[in-house]
């Protein structure tokens, strides 16, 4: 939810909302496209039709990340479109990485617990029906091994994450300069 300025106008956080643009009207074909794409996502969340801001949805059940539903302004410039698309691609890439990583983590954790319990001659469920667990020290062995096995994967992820964020920041600067230029440049004289 946006904080309100004393004048009553909504103040939007600069990083993710700065590029929404002055026009609050959604282009019909783009708006419909956006709503259709949003319905195909994991969550059933869809921002209101007349919204002119980015929305952050509920956490994805696989990646645990909150998806951003990007606003598409009616008068979006090619540079603004490139920035939005880069942000969307980065979000999808990030969601996919963490969904896969979390799936791998859960699977290997269950296998680790099962193998340790089996080595002790215990079942996954105790006689009372309660799920058997391992103590913190044994689980620390799993976490340490999991991080060791995935060190390179995380290193490459971090490298790519920084590259993508640098590119996004670069395009944000270009869009900001374009907007300043558009406000400052002389307007063509209209003849009546």
């Amino acid at each position: 939810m946006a904080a309100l300025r004393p004048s009553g106008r909504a103040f939007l956080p600069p990083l993710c909302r700065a590029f929404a643009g002055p026009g609050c009207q959604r282009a019909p074909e783009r708006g419909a496209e956006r709503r259709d794409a949003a319905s195909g996502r994991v969550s059933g969340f869809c921002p209101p039709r007349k919204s002119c801001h980015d929305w952050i949805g509920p956490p994805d059940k696989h990646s645990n990340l909150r998806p951003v539903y990007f606003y598409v302004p009616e008068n979006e410039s090619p540079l603004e479109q490139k920035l939005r698309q880069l942000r969307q691609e980065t979000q999808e890439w990030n969601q996919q990485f963490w969904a896969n990583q979390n799936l791998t983590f859960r699977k290997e954790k269950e296998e680790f617990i099962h193998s340790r319990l089996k080595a002790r001659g215990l079942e996954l469920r105790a006689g009372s029906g309660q799920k058997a667990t391992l103590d913190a020290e044994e689980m620390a062995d799993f976490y340490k091994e999991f991080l060791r096995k995935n060190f390179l994967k995380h290193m490459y992820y971090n490298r790519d994450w920084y590259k993508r964020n640098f590119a996004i920041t670069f395009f944000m600067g270009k869009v900001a300069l374009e907007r300043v230029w558009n406000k400052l440049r002389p307007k063509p004289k209209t003849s009546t």
Side-chain angles (χ1 to χ4, degrees):
M1 175 166 242
L4 292 178
R5 285 187 180 172
S7 67
R9 290 179 38 202
F11 171 72
L12 304 171
L15 185 59
C16 59
R17 308 273 197 257
F19 301 102
C24 203
Q25 307 267 326
R26 184 176 317 285
E29 64 280 356
R30 286 185 181 162
E33 210 174 79
R34 183 175 149 273
R35 282 187 300 281
D36 292 343
S39 64
R41 294 195 177 157
V42 175
S43 144
F45 175 79
C46 186
R49 284 181 146 195
K50 294 184 180 186
S51 174
C52 57
H53 305 292
D54 293 346
W55 280 71
I56 298 174
D60 176 74
K61 66 180 180 180
H62 302 290
S63 69
N64 294 326
L65 300 176
R66 291 179 174 272
V68 178
Y69 299 87
F70 296 95
Y71 167 68
V72 182
E74 188 174 312
N75 56 348
E76 184 178 48
S77 72
L79 197 55
E80 289 172 323
Q81 182 180 15
K82 172 85 172 152
L83 172 63
R84 180 179 48 80
Q85 288 172 343
L86 184 59
R87 290 177 67 206
Q88 286 173 324
E89 289 168 11
T90 299
Q91 175 184 291
E92 290 165 9
W93 169 81
N94 200 27
Q95 289 276 356
Q96 188 62 46
F97 175 84
W98 286 109
N100 291 338
Q101 190 66 5
N102 290 343
L103 179 68
T104 302
F105 176 81
R106 286 185 204 108
K107 181 181 171 196
E108 289 184 20
K109 182 179 172 185
E110 285 298 317
E111 290 171 359
F112 176 82
I113 292 171
H114 186 69
S115 68
R116 288 285 173 107
L117 291 173
K118 194 173 182 179
R120 291 185 193 160
L122 299 173
E123 293 294 323
L124 206 51
R125 298 227 176 249
S128 63
Q130 191 175 14
K131 193 172 183 179
T133 59
L134 301 176
D135 64 16
E137 283 186 31
E138 287 178 298
M139 289 309 297
D141 292 339
F142 166 73
Y143 299 134
K144 180 180 175 183
E145 180 63 19
F146 185 82
L147 288 173
R148 187 194 63 72
K149 281 185 354 189
N150 289 282
F151 175 78
L152 283 178
K153 186 190 288 188
H154 289 148
M155 187 178 73
Y156 293 134
Y157 166 80
N158 283 335
R159 181 199 62 195
D160 291 345
W161 178 246
Y162 283 114
K163 281 181 183 179
R164 287 171 179 270
N165 278 301
F166 179 76
I168 288 170
T169 303
F170 177 73
F171 275 101
M172 289 175 88
K174 285 178 76 170
V175 167
L177 287 173
E178 178 184 61
R179 286 188 177 163
V180 168
W181 174 251
N182 288 339
K183 285 183 181 181
L184 295 178
R185 78 173 170 199
K187 305 287 184 247
K189 293 182 182 179
T190 58
S191 59
T192 53

